[in-house]
Amino acid sequence: MDLARDLAVEPIAAFDDNYLWLIVRGAQAAVVDPGDAEAVLRRLRQQGVELTAILVTHHHGDHVGGVAQLASATGARVYGPRGEKIPACDAALAGGDRIDVLGIGFDVIDVPGHTRGHVAYHAAAQRWLFCGDTLFCAGCGRLFEGTAAQMSVSLARLAALPDDTRVYCAHEYTLANLRFALAVEPDNGALRRRQSECSALRSGGMPTVPSTIGDERATNPFLRCAEPAVRRAAERRAGRPLPDATEVFAVLREWKNVF
């Protein structure tokens, strides 16, 4: 078997709009943010693969709810952020750490903002990014525990990855995010094309993820805070000049919260 070719990332739909990401290589698998153990166990049985690793980005229940059950049922090793309480965690990680899962090297990136200890997992050779609730298609996570400044830095770290990096986020929020993005940048042609493409996918029952870093840089307002059109929209919303991109981000995030 050619394990380099026999490699896939597959979504497992859970709850109302979550994606749990199953990475399959040969007869083994890893899962990212398994909020629902039963959904993962069903897929493992269907495909006849063994779960050997669990990667967790942050502590919210829809991301960790199935971790303990899966670890107990399969013996999978659990990786999670050092700064958060993760069930059954075997390896506590922080930015700059590197792990090997299924023979794939993952770099750990600190991305606080949504939660204080949130991390992302980047497989550079495969051009994969598992970013939890930090970066969404055309959007970003709410600031439940962190600050706008922290999230701005976190998103900049992700935006600096190669354009062809595939973004495996954890929720199907794309169409709602695109509606907001068009309120910010109504003259952005790339946004309108993306909205049409994603609407067609959802009409066909297909996920809109993964996207790519290139897609996000072109259409995600939270990665475009230095763009003049985005800044002008944020300033109109705020009713005042905004001194820097972090202030633009903060206004956009508050606007999106009530959009």
Side-chain angles (χ1 to χ4, degrees):
M1 179 182 292
D2 184 347
L3 291 182
R5 294 180 61 188
D6 190 27
L7 178 63
V9 180
E10 306 169 0
I12 300 175
F15 312 121
D16 292 330
D17 52 35
N18 281 70
Y19 291 122
L20 324 179
W21 293 106
L22 190 70
I23 306 166
V24 180
R25 190 167 205 175
Q28 295 186 324
V31 69
V32 183
D33 285 347
D36 182 348
E38 291 302 325
V40 177
L41 290 169
R42 282 195 299 272
R43 181 67 66 84
L44 295 172
R45 289 193 294 268
Q46 289 167 0
Q47 298 188 201
V49 295
E50 174 193 6
L51 189 71
T52 63
I54 298 169
L55 306 182
V56 177
T57 63
H58 67 290
H59 67 85
H60 286 164
D62 59 328
H63 294 253
V64 302
V67 170
Q69 182 181 344
L70 284 172
S72 176
T74 66
R77 183 170 176 80
V78 179
Y79 301 85
R82 185 176 301 162
E84 300 192 357
K85 186 175 181 180
I86 304 300
C89 190
D90 298 301
L93 306 170
D97 289 339
R98 184 175 174 84
I99 59 174
D100 184 285
V101 172
L102 303 177
I104 301 163
F106 287 90
D107 293 306
V108 181
I109 306 172
D110 280 331
V111 285
H114 182 66
T115 65
R116 282 187 292 273
H118 202 304
V119 299
Y121 299 91
H122 176 227
Q126 287 73 26
R127 295 290 204 268
W128 295 344
L129 173 68
F130 297 94
C131 52
D133 286 355
T134 296
L135 176 63
F136 294 130
C137 292
C140 74
R142 288 177 179 260
L143 304 179
F144 286 123
E145 298 173 11
T147 66
Q150 286 177 318
M151 184 65 103
S152 293
V153 171
S154 296
L155 291 173
R157 287 176 181 150
L158 301 184
L161 297 173
D163 277 357
D164 61 350
T165 303
R166 281 165 285 180
V167 178
Y168 295 95
C169 63
H171 289 275
E172 184 57 74
Y173 292 162
T174 308
L175 293 182
N177 287 341
L178 287 168
R179 286 193 293 273
F180 174 72
L182 280 164
V184 176
E185 275 194 287
D187 297 325
N188 185 331
L191 258 175
R192 295 199 174 278
R193 289 190 294 274
R194 190 174 186 192
Q195 184 183 50
S196 177
E197 292 164 0
C198 290
S199 295
L201 286 170
R202 295 308 292 152
S203 294
M206 300 294 290
T208 61
V209 291
S211 65
T212 67
I213 290 293
D215 292 336
E216 299 311 315
R217 287 173 60 86
T219 60
N220 189 324
F222 297 104
L223 300 191
R224 296 173 58 78
C225 293
E227 293 293 323
V230 174
R231 185 179 191 131
R232 286 193 298 271
E235 289 180 336
R236 286 194 299 271
R237 176 72 182 182
R240 60 183 173 85
L242 299 174
D244 55 39
T246 299
E247 286 291 315
V248 172
F249 171 83
V251 169
L252 291 179
R253 186 59 264 181
E254 291 175 5
W255 184 4
K256 178 62 168 65
N257 290 345
V258 297
F259 186 77

